[in-house]
Every structure is written in structure tokens, then in C-alpha cells.
Amino acid sequence: MELITSDALPAGNRLPSTRALANHLGVARMTVVEAYDWLSDQGYLVSRRGSGTVIQDVKLPLDSDRKLQRPPKLGSGNSSENKGDLKVDFRPGLPDLALFPRQQWTSTLKRIGRSLPSQALAYSDPLGSIRLRSAIAAYLRRTRGLQTDPCNVVITAGTAQAVDLLLRVRPQCRELIIEAPGPDVLKKLPSTYGVSLREIPIDSHGLRSDLLPENDGFVRCAYVIPSHQFPLGYAMSIERRLALLSWAIRTNSFILEDDYDSEFAFAGRPAVPLAKLDRSDRVIYTGTFSKTLAPSLRLGFMIAPSHLLEKISTFKWWIDHGGVTHLQDALAQWIEDGTFERHVQRMRRVYKRRYELLASELVNALGDRVRIVGDRVGMHVAVIVRTKCQSELIIARCCAKDVGVYLINGNVFGMARDERAFVLGFGNLHNKEIAYGIRTFAESVMAT
Ligand SMILES: Cc1ncc(COP(=O)(O)O)c(C=O)c1O
């Protein structure tokens, strides 16, 4: 068939008789007869009495401007960061995967699976399990002071899907504003929707609201991480929060608030969410269970304004039909019975100890050559080191010793010419790994 559609066997040519081809291939004649019959039924061949079996014209149309591209090789990345076999990897964003309470999760899944009514196996609500939506609304009321109606909670496959959904339901949005430096992963998505990207610098008070574009008729979305900016780790000041809200109202724009790791504030409570200050449905609040539990669960949520729910529901119907109810109800069970919050409290203690170890190792090894910036929250720190060495060389030296460290791309405010900025994730690293990793990092920074 492929020989015919690719024109290797041109239309009009006659095929050999079934007997001749069977002899040539050393197969039963019946096999060739069946193959010819199938190709004739599909329209690739036509048999005419007296003139044998002739190839039909079924060449595939080709677009000379577009050639089929080979898929990229599995695991191919674009930097040494993907070395994969690192002894110590300071890649940010991973929680401690070994401390995920697997046994409890498995038994909750089993219990939920057994008690699930048959009806729950049908297509479900595209906005997600109402049990989980209610549990999240109650959790946010308790922990973040957000008065959220379960109807406005949409279950997502993580923050990544929340961003994607927003760009779909707000096609009038012409520009996505992100903080600089910010999460690099976000930079590629907007252009796939024809949305442009604008980076606005941050300082220690958060996004420089004085640099936001003023009213020019364009609708914009500002993606911000006000409670613990990634990667620099600052909380946005109340003045900047109010300025950002006023800007959104003035320019008919909206704000996506990413509250991805506020559960892990080591000193006191995290700042009040922007969504709590919003009186005009401008803020869409998102959260994820990728950091509190595990990224592979692909569970997160967004609090969507009522006027967007119908559109979100339509997209969710096509994308994933609301996701896997079984998983969502298991998580709802954990939030309802306190298992989730106990896990978060335990992990907060674990990450706090790791943060303190990492900070003291850094200071012991680098003294006044290192500054740790940002608030004491989460599973990563941003560090600025004073050195003559270029960042790429530091990364390469660490990599040669099987240690992965990550550069903060873009301008970091207040950084001197002889300073370099890195982000170090420690959520999935044990004490010995942190100690070895920081020693290696410090040696790489100090080597001339
Ligand atoms: C800033 C930020 N927010 C949220 C997330 C979580 O994304 P998701 O919920 O899609 O796993 C990430 C992932 O690393 C991130 O960098």
C-alpha cells in the first residue's frame, strides 16, 4: 500500500499474477489473493478480465512547503541541565518524592474505588468532582481566608493547564505579562495562541507596577506569583498589590495569581492572596498539588469568576472531561479527614530543616561572597554569588561532579557585575546530598 501511495509503484502498472508473486515470495497463493482482494476493496487496485490487476492512481497529495518532521529523540533536551544521572540535582520545583505517603494513598484509592457508585464511572462534570471542589473551597477558606463558592472551583491538571485554559477562554487577551526573572517554562506557551509576551522586572517589593503598559485598548493578562515569587522568592508588597489591581481595572485586564507553594512558609503566615483583595472579578487564583503532594498526580485548581465558567466547562469537556474522578475523590477524602494538612505540616518541618542546612552550608563555604535572597518559604532558594567566574563555567564544573545547579536567566535587580544568580531547589534532596552539593557549588564558584 505504501509503495502505491508513495508512487514507487506508479498508477497504471500491472501487478504480477497471484501465482507468479506467490512463487517469487515463497508464500501460499491464497495469501497473495487475500492481499490483492483487500487492496482492490480499498480502491488501490482494479482487476480487469484480460488485462490483469492494475494499480490505481491514489498518490498522496504533498504540500511542497511542509515536509513531515521526524519526532525529536526521546529525552532530548537543550542543555547540560538534562544530564539525568546527576548525584545531586538542585533542580527547583520537586517535592520530596520518597516521603509521599504511598501506602496511605493506595489504601485511600482502594477504599474510594470500592465505594464509588456505578454512576461515578460515567462521564463526569467537566469542571471536576464536586466533592473535591467543595473540599478545596473549605480548605482555602480555612488556610487562605478566601470566601470561595465550590461552584467557582475548577479542577485542573495543575497550574500549567490553568494558564492554558485562560488563554483559550480569553481570546481577546493580546499579551501575557510575566515577571522578570520568572518561570522560564511559561515563556513558550503564549506564542502558540498568537499571544505576545511582555516581561516586567521585579524588585524586592514584587512586580514593578510603574512599568505596566497603560490603557491602549489591548486586553492583557498579568501572571504573577505574589506570595513567593519564582525564582527570587520575594512576597509582593501591599502597595504593589493594590497598584496591580487598579491597573487591571483601568486597562480592562485580568490577573492570574499563582499561589503554588505558600503552604511552606517557615516563618509566620503567608501574605494575604491578591484574590482576597479583588472586588471586581479581575483575579483568577490558581493552586497546585504538584508541590504539596506530587507533580505526577496532575491535580490543581483555579478559582474562576462565574462569567467564565461556561466557556471553561466547554473547553474542559473536550480536553479531559474534568479529569479522573477516582483520583479527585481520593484527594477530597484526604482534605476532609485532615490527612492532607498533616502531610503538609510534616513536609513544612522537613523543608525548613533542609532550608536551614542549605543556608548554613552556603554561608560556611562562601562567607560574604554569597547572598540568599527572598523570603523563607518553599523548596528552593535564590542565591547571588560574587565571583570572577562566568555562570556557564560554574554550571559546567558542578555538572562534571554530578551536581546540577540552575542559572537565573535575565536581569536580577541590584546585582553587581561580578555577581551571578542561581536557583537551588532542595525539596527532593537529603542532608548529605545538600552538603555535598553545596560544597561542590562553592568550590566551582571559588575556582579561578
Ligand atoms: C511558578 C510555578 N508555578 C506552578 C508550578 C506547578 O505547575 P503544575 O501545577 O502544572 O505542576 C510550577 C512548576 O514547576 C512553577 O514553576
Side-chain angles (χ1 to χ4, degrees):
M1 189 190 87
E2 270 173 26
L3 293 176
I4 297 174
T5 53
S6 66
D7 211 26
L9 288 177
N13 278 14
R14 240 185 31 201
L15 288 183
S17 72
T18 52
R19 191 183 309 278
L21 186 58
N23 279 341
H24 177 72
L25 297 175
V27 298
R29 185 174 165 220
M30 203 50 207
T31 308
V32 180
V33 170
E34 280 175 7
Y36 278 27
D37 283 352
W38 186 84
L39 287 166
S40 302
D41 286 349
Q42 301 291 316
Y44 296 94
L45 304 176
V46 66
S47 299
R48 287 198 204 96
R49 191 168 291 201
S51 51
T53 306
V54 178
I55 295 167
Q56 291 290 85
D57 187 4
V58 282
K59 220 173 347 134
L60 294 181
L62 287 180
D63 181 343
S64 57
D65 290 343
R66 295 184 58 197
K67 300 238 164 60
L68 287 183
Q69 286 187 358
R70 285 179 179 279
K73 281 200 185 118
L74 278 183
S76 63
N78 56 3
S79 75
S80 60
E81 292 178 356
N82 291 305
K83 205 175 160 210
D85 52 357
L86 295 169
K87 214 186 301 177
V88 177
D89 192 354
F90 285 107
R91 177 182 293 278
L94 270 189
D96 191 315
L97 303 174
L99 291 182
F100 177 75
R102 264 182 214 239
Q103 274 190 346
Q104 256 174 303
W105 182 244
T106 315
S107 63
T108 308
L109 280 177
K110 258 195 201 157
R111 207 163 350 114
I112 293 288
R114 270 199 298 266
S115 61
L116 217 56
S118 311
Q119 196 48 36
L121 297 172
Y123 290 108
S124 50
D125 186 334
L127 297 178
S129 141
I130 189 62
R131 183 172 171 193
L132 180 57
R133 292 162 69 197
S134 307
I136 289 172
Y139 171 74
L140 292 177
R141 226 172 291 135
R142 230 176 19 253
T143 60
R144 304 295 277 131
L146 289 171
Q147 297 303 321
T148 307
D149 190 309
C151 295
N152 294 92
V153 180
V154 178
I155 305 302
T156 62
T159 304
Q161 193 187 52
V163 180
D164 177 81
L165 271 172
L166 269 179
L167 293 179
R168 289 173 194 248
V169 297
R170 297 293 308 258
Q172 64 277 55
C173 168
R174 300 279 296 275
E175 193 171 69
L176 184 73
I177 288 172
I178 62 169
E179 297 165 317
D184 291 330
V185 282
L186 201 71
K187 291 186 184 163
K188 285 188 187 157
L189 181 70
S191 64
T192 63
Y193 286 102
V195 172
S196 54
L197 188 79
R198 184 191 291 244
E199 296 185 66
I200 301 275
I202 71 148
D203 62 20
S204 60
H205 301 282
L207 186 82
R208 291 274 310 272
S209 44
D210 56 317
L211 299 179
L212 284 166
E214 271 314 321
N215 212 342
D216 54 9
F218 282 171
V219 174
R220 294 181 165 91
C221 170
Y223 169 95
V224 289
I225 317 172
S227 59
H228 185 228
Q229 202 273 343
F230 184 91
L232 293 185
Y234 293 107
M236 195 184 288
S237 69
I238 183 70
E239 291 79 13
R240 294 278 172 88
R241 284 167 196 251
L242 297 179
L244 184 60
L245 284 169
S246 307
W247 167 83
I249 295 167
R250 228 172 30 247
T251 61
N252 189 28
S253 295
F254 59 105
I255 300 165
L256 182 60
E257 176 176 21
D258 181 356
D259 199 21
Y260 72 105
D261 72 351
S262 61
E263 283 88 353
F264 299 129
F266 306 141
R269 287 169 74 85
V272 171
L274 204 52
K276 197 170 158 58
L277 307 172
D278 175 28
R279 297 285 176 276
S280 49
D281 266 359
R282 296 277 164 191
V283 178
I284 294 143
Y285 177 91
T286 67
T288 181
F289 295 97
S290 292
K291 314 298 167 190
T292 44
L293 294 172
S296 70
L297 293 178
R298 303 315 301 143
L299 283 171
F301 58 90
M302 65 199 273
I303 313 299
S306 304
H307 67 271
L308 287 182
L309 285 175
E310 199 180 320
K311 265 190 150 184
I312 292 177
S313 176
T314 305
F315 280 114
K316 287 282 283 173
W317 197 97
W318 284 103
I319 297 168
D320 62 9
H321 221 301
V324 185
T325 317
H326 188 161
L327 281 187
Q328 295 177 14
D329 284 354
L331 175 55
Q333 172 73 48
W334 271 21
I335 298 176
E336 288 159 8
D337 68 17
T339 307
F340 174 70
E341 275 170 80
R342 279 193 297 280
H343 177 65
V344 167
Q345 276 160 20
R346 175 184 179 210
M347 296 315 296
R348 191 185 301 127
R349 287 192 294 273
V350 169
Y351 297 143
K352 181 170 185 273
R353 284 197 296 272
R354 289 182 190 170
Y355 171 89
E356 282 162 359
L357 172 69
L358 183 136
S360 72
E361 292 283 342
L362 273 171
V363 173
N364 288 343
L366 286 165
D368 65 359
R369 279 170 168 246
V370 65
R371 288 192 281 140
I372 300 175
V373 300
D375 292 351
R376 287 157 45 89
V377 180
M379 304 178 298
H380 71 264
V381 286
V383 297
I384 297 181
V385 289
R386 191 159 35 81
T387 173
K388 290 202 173 68
C389 198
Q390 290 306 312
S391 318
E392 291 72 18
L393 188 56
I394 296 174
I395 290 176
R397 282 179 181 151
C398 287
C399 198
K401 293 192 172 163
D402 280 335
V403 173
V405 296
Y406 297 86
L407 183 67
I408 295 181
N409 288 309
N411 287 333
V412 175
F413 70 96
M415 208 166 85
R417 283 175 74 86
D418 62 347
E419 289 187 315
R420 322 273 174 255
F422 294 89
V423 57
L424 304 175
F426 55 83
N428 199 29
L429 295 178
H430 294 167
N431 292 356
K432 278 191 181 153
E433 294 169 324
I434 292 176
Y436 171 77
I438 294 301
R439 259 198 322 275
T440 308
F441 176 59
E443 284 161 14
S444 308
V445 166
M446 290 193 293
T448 46

